[in-house]
Amino acid sequence: MGGVKDKVCNDTSLPEFWLDMCRNIHTNASDYLNLNLNPERWTGYNGSHVWNAIYEENCFEQLGELDDMCYEERVLYRILSGLHASTNIHISQEYYPPSKKEGREHWAPNPERFMQQYSQHPERLKNLHFAFVVLLRSVRRASPYLYNFPFEGEDPAEEKRTAQLVQRLLDSHIMQSCSQVFNAFDETLMFVEGDEPSVQATLKSQFKGVFQNISEVMDCISCQKCKLHGKLQLLGLGTALKILLLPEQLIASSLSRHEIVALFNTLHKFSGAIKAIPELSSMFSAKQELYKKAPILEELSANGQRPPAPAGFAPPQGGDAAAASVRAAASAAAGGGGSGLDKG
């Protein structure tokens, strides 16, 4: 049976080609973790080398007269960039741990870190919105199957509650009528470049191969909590792509419970990150105002001296203007307004 599946998954001309999209993200672990008790937050781990490897892996070989970065490669890049942005925003949301010395009873945000990363790079926030649309389109496409999916678990009451929440989402306004949002991406435009079947076949093979290789890169993360959230969200994105690229008649038989759980968790994480953008921007602006009104600054200004920046903080240029630009970019991306991903 496995040999038959491998054969169809290696044939780009067959609709079953996308069945093993998430093959390298293993979900057969015997231990389960409560994600509510293990939220994504600052751990002290520097994962820059992992992200560099992920972006370097997203590199298709040149195909004749195609541009340096083809449409499919740009789609995958924007999805990965959206994942990166979501991760960083959640870290900025819960950055400072509780501390009796500092008088913090709970985890506290770091809006300065957020602004340093995005005040000069609003396109990264647009990529987060783009990836969110990919997730939403996949949930809408699979909704006939997801609506009555049996979320079996150890607690019947929790199982029933989960099913009701999923149905509530699928019946919500955004899933029914926000066509402008869904039009920000169209998977049917993928793998139609040129007239040569050989080029289309190569694009399909490279797209799936790159995603599977990135899945293996995630295994290089030494921080176990970081790896947990990274692989969970990558599985959610892989599941979304599989739903969008498979024929509708294959969706119901191709999804596992792990993939569906990952899909909804990833949708939740990206939604939370988008919601946090204006919150972190407003926190940054409020801190700037407090800093400007500090008595020591008024005294320095009166003496013609330049006030120092707060310890450990190099504010992005523009202060409030930077925060406003981030909010504007997020607002524009949230409004849909076309794909933001040109074919040419």
Side-chain angles (χ1 to χ4, degrees):
M1 185 68 180
V4 173
K5 183 177 180 179
D6 290 341
K7 186 175 180 179
V8 298
C9 289
N10 289 330
D11 189 341
T12 58
S13 66
L14 296 176
E16 293 88 354
F17 175 73
W18 302 106
L19 285 175
D20 66 341
M21 189 74 178
C22 305
R23 181 187 64 192
N24 293 343
I25 309 176
H26 304 294
T27 58
N28 58 351
S30 58
D31 295 328
Y32 290 86
L33 293 175
N34 186 334
L35 294 176
N36 291 323
L37 302 178
N38 294 273
E40 193 170 22
R41 57 167 57 124
W42 172 248
T43 64
Y45 176 72
N46 183 355
S48 57
H49 64 292
V50 177
W51 285 111
N52 289 338
I54 287 174
Y55 288 123
E56 289 172 4
E57 194 63 50
N58 180 36
C59 183
F60 290 24
E61 296 177 7
Q62 292 297 307
L63 301 172
E65 301 299 321
L66 292 179
D67 295 334
D68 291 342
M69 184 177 277
C70 63
Y71 178 73
E72 292 76 13
E73 190 175 0
R74 294 199 296 273
V75 167
L76 192 53
Y77 171 82
R78 294 198 68 181
I79 289 174
L80 295 172
S81 176
L83 171 61
H84 196 175
S86 174
T87 299
N88 271 322
I89 290 171
H90 282 289
I91 290 173
S92 294
Q93 268 191 304
E94 296 197 45
Y95 189 86
Y96 297 111
S99 169
K100 291 183 178 180
K101 181 179 179 181
E102 300 293 336
R104 282 193 304 271
E105 295 184 2
H106 307 285
W107 283 80
N110 186 344
E112 293 83 6
R113 178 183 184 273
F114 168 78
M115 291 304 301
Q116 286 171 346
Q117 291 178 322
Y118 298 108
S119 63
Q120 304 300 317
H121 297 283
E123 74 280 358
R124 297 173 181 173
L125 301 181
K126 292 182 179 180
N127 291 340
L128 169 61
H129 283 82
F130 175 83
F132 185 61
V133 169
V134 172
L135 291 163
L136 283 176
R137 281 182 70 95
S138 71
V139 170
R140 185 177 68 170
R141 190 164 193 258
S143 59
Y145 168 64
L146 296 175
Y147 201 88
N148 294 307
F149 182 80
F151 289 94
E152 299 177 355
E154 296 180 358
D155 186 347
E158 186 66 21
E159 176 185 333
K160 181 179 180 181
R161 178 174 176 272
T162 300
Q164 290 174 339
L165 288 173
V166 169
Q167 292 174 359
R168 180 179 172 184
L169 170 64
L170 297 177
D171 288 333
S172 66
H173 172 72
I174 192 171
M175 301 301 295
Q176 299 295 326
S177 59
C178 294
S179 59
Q180 186 181 19
V181 172
F182 288 101
N183 289 339
F185 170 66
D186 185 356
E187 65 279 357
T188 63
L189 299 177
M190 298 176 67
F191 310 113
V192 294
E193 188 76 53
D195 299 322
E196 291 292 331
S198 61
V199 173
Q200 296 177 20
T202 303
L203 282 173
K204 288 181 179 180
S205 295
Q206 290 193 5
F207 187 90
K208 186 170 75 171
V210 165
F211 184 86
Q212 290 175 342
N213 289 341
I214 290 170
S215 304
E216 292 185 334
V217 170
M218 284 285 184
D219 289 326
C220 299
I221 301 175
S222 57
C223 166
Q224 293 305 307
K225 179 179 285 189
C226 307
K227 183 187 293 187
L228 166 69
H229 287 282
K231 298 193 77 168
L232 175 72
Q233 292 177 70
L234 194 64
L235 178 60
L237 291 168
T239 302
L241 289 170
K242 185 164 77 168
I243 290 171
L244 293 173
L245 296 173
L246 280 172
E248 286 190 20
Q249 66 269 22
L250 292 180
I251 293 176
S253 61
S254 67
L255 298 180
S256 68
R257 183 181 185 277
H258 292 297
E259 289 174 329
I260 294 174
V261 169
L263 175 64
F264 282 113
N265 271 284
T266 306
L267 189 67
H268 166 68
K269 298 296 289 184
F270 279 45
S271 175
I274 290 171
K275 181 176 179 291
I277 293 172
E279 295 173 356
L280 289 166
S281 299
S282 298
M283 289 179 195
F284 175 81
S285 297
K287 281 193 173 185
Q288 288 283 295
E289 288 302 316
L290 288 174
Y291 174 61
K292 291 175 184 176
K293 294 177 181 178
I296 184 64
L297 298 188
E298 295 179 1
E299 181 179 339
L300 289 172
S301 297
N303 295 331
Q305 300 180 43
R306 183 178 180 181
F313 169 48
Q317 296 180 354
D320 292 340
S325 69
V326 169
R327 287 194 293 268
S331 177
S339 69
L341 186 69
D342 298 331
K343 278 281 287 181

